Amino acid sequence: MRSMRWLWQCAMLFTVCTGGWLQAAEPVQHPNIVLILADDLGQRDIGAFNPETFYETPNIDRLATQGMLFTDAYSANPVCSPTRFSVQTGRYPTRVGATNWFSGRRKGKYAPAPLNSFMPLEETTIAEALKTAGYRSALLGKWHLGAKEYAPEVQGYEFYFPQGNPMPDWRWNKLPEDKRPVRSDKLEDFHTLVLADETCKVIRDFAKQPFFVCMAMNAVHTPLIAPSEIVKKYEKKALALEGKAEFAPEEQVWPGDDKRETRILQKHATYAAMVECMDIAVGRVVKQLEELGLAEQTIVCFVSDNGGLSTAEGSPTSNLPWRGGKGWVYEGGIRVPFIVRWPGQVASGSICSTPVCSIDLFPTFLEAAHVSQPSGTEIDGVSLLPLLKGQSIAERDLFWHYPHYSNQGGFPGGAIRRGNLKLVERYEDGRVHLYDLSTDPGEQVDLADQKPAEVAALRDSLHHWYTDVGAKFLAPFKGSPEPWSPSQK
């Protein structure tokens, strides 16, 4: 494993110093696109982004050496459904009120903003857009964008293989023995590997014409379940970390005054095994493309829907140096792993530090496939093809809007990133914090009082964006005082 990471680091150094070893080739008119979407996977969970990670991800690391790694990639929201909306449409989820997981409305000091718990059928998905160019399409795994009447089959996808999260132990144990689903501890029966095998079947079936296939894994979302053989491997590995601090205090927002902690040490054996199974799944899909001779004409994109789970529900991973995790607008909740491999078009082992977001996948895929963007629709993302070719894109602000109390303790809030500066705004009382991510990646040093001009400029842009996308905010309970609103800045 160390040798693999050493080779990866050498590849990165060579690319940074020499510009990589890309051999330019004429791109195919309609490249295949495989999108691998992980669930709740933190950026620091992958060896290519964190050579010191506790987890082992050789297949994803290899993907990074063969393509471009984005150091500053973001999800459009700190939880799943809104980000999945942004991936499918290229639009900020706030535009349709899809601002929390479907259908989560956790009450706190105030009532959360109204939540739209489905993706409107009027939205144009990647599958619908690419269909105009003759693409076949399939989504396998987690949809989480609405029930049957809003399922992938009615959103442009030719094939849908649904797969929910495995049943957690507490629910399985409550069932009568004759009602319990059969459980297998074999690696080949593990849900993540089953999904990979089904994805490979679809790729084989689609191989003779352009296709878009999205493998939307449940991994590494809870429940924390993995094959025992791999769990035991990491239990032994974790022994070397005995005695080290695993948690540190984090601010408490919901549900009360109980102390909240965030994990600061990666050593959770079951979670590590889940990460390894996910990596094996990625390796199988990539290998299938190579065996079919499709690698050179296929874009492979690997990304997560939000940051790692570090403050609740078992707190299985650490996102350090990023603060917080899933459910928080701090970096730990929205900074995600993002890798793109496109042989002959993207320099092997290249690194991009330009801030990008999940809203950018839709326009990137469409431009790569020579498909026009849908008319009459406001697309918020931009094509990343210039970055993938070693060029640049225009500087822009990135925005977040999360008017909810998250299951993970996160506060209702918004954020804007401009360059290295990030402004965080709290929706309960309107307080703002300013961080310089270049010197303070952990968002611990609040510069708001020192840089009032920057605060005013960023806040003004954030509030203009709220208006543009029709953002909704907290509401009072009957008899309670009014919460803050942007009009009170």
Side-chain angles (χ1 to χ4, degrees):
M1 180 54 57
R2 288 183 178 178
S3 61
M4 175 65 199
R5 288 180 183 163
W6 179 83
L7 287 172
W8 177 83
Q9 288 172 318
C10 289
M12 297 296 104
L13 180 60
F14 179 88
T15 302
V16 170
C17 295
T18 68
W21 48 82
L22 174 64
Q23 295 181 353
E26 189 67 27
V28 296
Q29 182 75 6
H30 299 305
N32 304 315
I33 303 170
V34 174
L35 172 61
I36 302 174
L37 181 58
D39 194 351
D40 291 359
L41 182 73
Q43 188 210 60
R44 307 299 289 175
D45 294 345
I46 303 299
F49 293 88
N50 176 20
E52 302 304 317
T53 185
F54 177 69
Y55 320 123
E56 298 175 14
T57 55
N59 292 298
I60 299 172
D61 297 347
R62 188 177 303 112
L63 200 65
T65 68
Q66 298 169 344
M68 179 173 285
L69 177 152
F70 290 80
T71 63
D72 291 48
Y74 290 95
S75 58
N77 192 280
V79 296
C80 55
S81 298
T83 298
R84 292 166 191 272
F85 172 91
S86 73
V87 168
Q88 289 294 332
T89 66
R91 289 157 50 81
Y92 279 114
T94 299
R95 289 191 179 277
V96 297
T99 50
N100 202 8
W101 58 275
F102 297 169
S103 180
R105 298 199 69 219
R106 176 85 61 188
K107 293 181 180 179
K109 182 179 179 180
Y110 298 102
L115 174 65
N116 180 10
S117 58
F118 58 87
M119 181 169 68
L121 297 179
E122 295 76 18
E123 296 292 331
T124 300
T125 65
I126 298 173
E128 288 171 322
L130 294 179
K131 190 174 184 178
T132 63
Y135 275 74
R136 303 187 72 180
S137 61
L139 189 140
L140 300 95
K142 184 173 182 177
W143 175 241
H144 213 176
L145 286 172
K148 290 182 179 180
E149 60 268 37
Y150 302 101
E153 298 98 325
V154 294
Q155 297 278 25
Y157 283 90
E158 175 183 341
F159 178 78
Y160 174 43
F161 178 82
Q163 186 184 71
N165 292 325
M167 185 176 291
D169 289 340
W170 65 266
R171 183 176 295 171
W172 192 83
N173 290 329
K174 282 186 175 181
L175 292 174
E177 289 191 16
D178 61 339
K179 300 294 184 182
R180 293 175 180 173
V182 176
R183 280 186 168 182
S184 170
D185 195 44
K186 296 179 180 179
L187 177 63
E188 294 306 309
D189 295 333
F190 191 58
H191 66 97
T192 308
L193 279 302
V194 170
L195 185 66
D197 291 342
E198 292 295 329
T199 301
C200 290
K201 290 179 185 177
V202 170
I203 290 173
R204 291 195 295 270
D205 184 46
F206 285 4
K208 293 185 178 180
Q209 66 186 88
F211 60 78
F212 169 64
V213 171
C214 177
M215 181 171 75
M217 296 181 286
N218 291 293
V220 286
H221 195 289
T222 56
L224 301 175
I225 298 173
S228 59
E229 182 178 350
I230 304 180
V231 175
K232 290 176 182 177
K233 164 187 167 181
Y234 286 99
E235 287 175 341
K236 293 179 181 178
K237 187 175 181 178
L239 294 175
L241 301 174
E242 288 297 320
K244 292 188 177 182
E246 295 185 46
F247 296 92
E250 180 54 271
E251 63 179 290
Q252 173 64 17
V253 178
W254 179 90
D257 297 325
D258 294 339
K259 181 180 179 182
R260 183 173 298 281
E261 294 183 319
T262 184
R263 179 175 283 276
I264 60 173
L265 179 68
Q266 295 179 346
K267 64 171 292 189
H268 195 294
T270 302
Y271 183 84
M274 293 171 69
V275 172
E276 179 166 326
C277 289
M278 176 203 65
D279 183 75
I280 294 171
V282 172
R284 286 189 183 181
V285 171
V286 172
K287 183 180 180 181
Q288 180 67 88
L289 292 169
E290 293 167 349
E291 290 177 345
L292 293 172
L294 298 175
E296 299 296 317
Q297 60 199 68
T298 302
I299 301 170
V300 177
C301 175
F302 177 85
V303 70
S304 178
D305 63 349
N306 48 250
L309 183 61
S310 67
T311 62
E313 302 170 72
S315 303
T317 197
S318 169
N319 297 306
L320 288 182
W322 319 127
R323 182 176 180 179
K326 177 185 179 180
W328 299 74
V329 293
Y330 292 133
E331 292 292 288
I334 54 178
R335 185 84 70 110
V336 295
F338 180 36
I339 297 168
V340 177
R341 187 188 81 165
W342 190 4
Q345 305 304 315
V346 177
S348 300
S350 51
I351 300 175
C352 180
S353 59
T354 300
V356 299
C357 184
S358 54
I359 56 175
D360 300 328
L361 296 182
F362 180 94
T364 301
F365 293 160
L366 265 59
E367 184 176 3
H370 296 88
V371 172
S372 299
Q373 294 188 10
S375 59
T377 301
E378 186 73 28
I379 302 299
D380 296 305
V382 300
S383 172
L384 303 180
L385 282 195
L387 295 177
L388 294 172
K389 295 177 180 179
Q391 302 165 8
S392 61
I393 59 174
E395 292 187 9
R396 58 176 171 156
D397 298 335
L398 293 178
F399 303 95
W400 293 268
H401 172 62
Y402 187 67
H404 302 274
Y405 295 88
S406 81
N407 289 358
Q408 298 76 31
F411 55 83
I416 175 175
R417 176 170 173 176
R418 176 179 296 167
N420 288 320
L421 291 180
K422 179 181 174 184
L423 182 91
V424 174
E425 182 171 61
R426 295 171 180 265
Y427 293 160
E428 285 187 333
D429 54 19
R431 283 182 296 148
V432 294
H433 311 282
L434 182 68
Y435 303 107
D436 185 339
L437 298 177
S438 66
T439 58
D440 179 29
E443 295 169 287
Q444 299 293 325
V445 182
D446 188 355
L447 303 175
D449 291 340
Q450 301 174 35
K451 297 180 178 291
E454 287 85 348
V455 168
L458 288 169
R459 200 174 196 190
D460 186 62
S461 295
L462 180 59
H463 287 204
H464 274 93
W465 177 78
Y466 289 155
T467 301
D468 180 52
V469 297
K472 305 291 192 302
F473 294 89
L474 304 178
F477 292 117
K478 186 176 181 179
S480 66
E482 289 285 334
W484 171 88
S485 72
S487 62
Q488 301 170 8
K489 67 177 180 178

